[in-house]
Amino acid sequence: MSAPRRPSDPSGLERYYVLTGGRSGPGGSASSLDVATLVVSRAAPLPGMQHEHEEILRRCRDPLSVAELGAHLGLPFNILAVLLSDLLDAGRVEARNPIPAHDAGRGPDLALLEEVLSGLERL
């Protein structure tokens, strides 16, 4: 019986361990991240930054959800959350919470829509 083979490139769990410095989950301000949370860069990448941090800052020049960002980078949510935690703590990105579910079902104010429609009809 032979020993299990190890992958020749660090593309699995070893890579994630290195990317996160051994951390398994975010802490502090990033602990409330959701897949729908929008992330926006507040600063440009610095020379010598970790490649993944640079990519996050580049891709988030315009608001991008955590789910979209994870798909672009090919990273699982918990790994991405750790990386975002680093950037949030450094003030390099801003996280905007999604609309709470109890507010999502409410539509716009009906009276306001009627006024807008009335104004458009007068044009």
Side-chain angles (χ1 to χ4, degrees):
M1 195 172 204
S2 63
R5 292 184 50 198
R6 294 178 51 128
S8 58
D9 65 276
S11 59
L13 296 177
E14 294 165 346
R15 174 177 175 251
Y16 297 149
Y17 183 86
V18 171
L19 286 178
T20 62
R23 295 170 289 164
S24 62
S29 57
S31 61
S32 64
L33 283 177
D34 185 89
V35 292
T37 300
L38 295 177
V39 179
V40 183
S41 299
R42 298 185 71 182
L46 295 173
M49 271 186 131
Q50 184 176 337
H51 173 71
E52 288 73 17
H53 286 148
E54 289 179 13
E55 275 300 304
I56 292 169
L57 292 175
R58 281 191 194 99
R59 291 184 181 272
C60 293
R61 288 182 183 134
D62 294 320
L64 196 62
S65 73
V66 172
E68 291 172 303
L69 188 56
H72 287 300
L73 298 176
L75 294 172
F77 175 79
N78 62 328
I79 303 301
L80 181 58
V82 171
L83 297 174
L84 287 171
S85 173
D86 296 340
L87 294 171
L88 283 166
D89 291 344
R92 306 207 54 84
V93 296
E94 177 183 342
R96 300 177 184 171
N97 291 327
I99 299 171
H102 66 276
D103 291 340
R106 289 190 312 177
D109 183 22
L110 187 56
L112 175 63
L113 289 177
E114 288 174 351
E115 287 181 38
V116 170
L117 180 61
S118 175
L120 289 172
E121 288 173 346
R122 285 191 297 250
L123 293 176

